[in-house]
Amino acid sequence: MTESTTPAVRRRARKAVIPAAGLGTRFLPATKAIPKEMLPVVDKPAIQYVVEEAVRAGVPDIVTITGRSKASLEDHFDRHWELEQALERKGDEKRLKRVRKSNDLGDVHFVRQGEPKGLGHAVLIGKNHVGDEPFAVLLGDDLIDEGDHLLEEMIEAQLKHGGSVVALMEVPAEQINLYGCAEVEQIDGETSGVVRVKGLVEKPSPEEAPSNLAIIGRYVLDPSIFEVLERTEPGRGGEIQLTDALQERANATGDGAGVVGVVFKGNRYDTGDRLDYLKAVVRLGVRHHDFGDDFRSWLQEWVTTDEGKGNEKRA
Ligand code: G1P
């Protein structure tokens, strides 16, 4: 019997894994008693933006991988009866709607990681929930601007090319050591910014880096990644790295193998980084429907003052 060359019918990703077990050490002491995912960006915790993005992209069945001291995440996506009743009694419909939105979003489940053994291990914890179908991974630190449709494009790229998909973004060469880095090549006939990933390396030095294309926190993965993660040895930092498992898939052939990259040119905010966090607050703040215009006017005026210009204060 000759082997069939017809590819199996591809399934669209419907589920998402959000790893949220990290300690948030870059943001101490703010994250000593509060999970970094709960830091407010304007008036919502960072994780709510990520869950909203998953729902918008059509992957509303979400499993969040948490750890110790992350109970507030579960509370946030649960109902808060006392609060709702109090707002109802006051007739405060506007705030009631806002409070209900966080628990009406998607279908958010929680599983604990147990031991902090790295991103690859956190994704593997999601295996039972995901099952045998392609799935999205969204890192809670990375906010992708609402106006960009990165995850949707990645889900489409996975349907078209099969295998797994990573999100890539150009970064300055001296920052590549903070990211997974991809070696890529053009795909014949592909005009949409999707590239073939030939190799991946986790947090290389600028000298070792094959490019300045960094992996950012969105993935669409073929379920065959689980079997690879199960046998992936700890890599950089002594952790089980998702990048290492993807490197194996990039070089493999057969069902579910291969990795492509979607090169992102939109706005991404790393809310785990203090400076980027402030930028995110300002950019999302000036767009806020309630007070964005007032905030923008204030900012415009403030930057013209001595304090705004960074001049010495007058005596
Ligand atoms: C993780 C991944 C890395 C990726 C980064 C994106 O690193 O291991 O490959 O580039 O997320 O934010 P972390 O930031 O958890 O150290």
Side-chain angles (χ1 to χ4, degrees), residues 152-163:
E152 285 95 323
E153 285 168 27
M154 294 174 72
I155 290 171
E156 288 307 317
Q158 203 274 340
L159 272 177
K160 182 170 174 193
H161 296 280

Side-chain angles (χ1 to χ4, degrees), residues 26 119 139 141-142 178-181 202-203 214-217 219 241-243 268:
R26 287 185 293 166
L119 179 59
L139 304 192
D141 280 356
D142 278 4
L178 302 172
Y179 298 94
C181 175
E202 179 70 4
K203 303 199 172 94
I215 305 175
I216 56 169
Y219 307 78
Q241 297 292 351
L242 181 57
T243 305
R268 162 203 180 241

